[in-house]
Amino acid sequence: MTSDFKEAVIKIVSHTKPGDWISYGDVAVLAGRPRAARAVSGILKREKDTLPWHRVVGKGGKISIKDPDLRRMQITKLQQEGLSISKTGQILKS
C-alpha cells in the first residue's frame, strides 16, 4: 500500500459529513484503487482515533464490522448523526 493511497483515503473519509456515509469500495475507487476496499478497512482500523471511520460501511449501506463492540459503536455513532439502522445492520433511507 502506498502512502499516496493512504493519504487519499484519509482525505476522503475526513471530508464525510455527519449523517452521510460512504462504502469501503467507493472510498477505494475515489482513492484510485478500485479493488482495494479491504485496504481501506485496514487504514481505518489503524486511524480510527483520528477519522470518522464510522461513516464508512459495506456495499449498499450495510454495517459490515464483525467485532460486536465496534459494530455497536458504529451503529450508535451513525444513529447519533441522524441515520436509521435496521436490526440487520442496513442503513435505511430517510
Side-chain angles (χ1 to χ4, degrees):
M1 172 175 40
T2 67
S3 62
D4 289 342
F5 177 70
K6 179 180 175 181
E7 288 174 25
V9 168
I10 289 170
K11 184 176 181 180
I12 292 161
V13 174
S14 294
H15 284 92
T16 59
K17 294 182 176 23
D20 288 344
W21 61 270
I22 189 168
S23 74
Y24 295 100
D26 288 342
V27 172
V29 167
L30 291 170
R33 296 209 22 223
R35 298 178 56 112
R38 286 188 181 192
V40 170
S41 175
I43 291 168
L44 295 179
K45 191 178 287 187
R46 290 185 294 280
E47 301 289 332
K48 72 177 184 260
D49 293 335
T50 60
L51 291 175
W53 61 270
H54 62 282
R55 296 182 189 140
V56 184
V57 298
K59 184 177 181 179
K62 182 93 170 165
I63 305 298
S64 58
I65 294 176
K66 303 296 183 219
D67 177 282
D69 293 331
L70 280 179
R71 183 179 176 87
R72 263 191 304 278
M73 184 184 301
Q74 183 177 32
I75 290 170
T76 299
K77 286 176 176 268
L78 290 171
Q79 288 173 328
Q80 289 171 342
E81 293 183 355
L83 294 172
S84 296
I85 316 291
S86 75
K87 290 181 181 182
T88 60
Q90 179 69 44
I91 296 174
L92 303 171
K93 300 197 188 279
S94 37

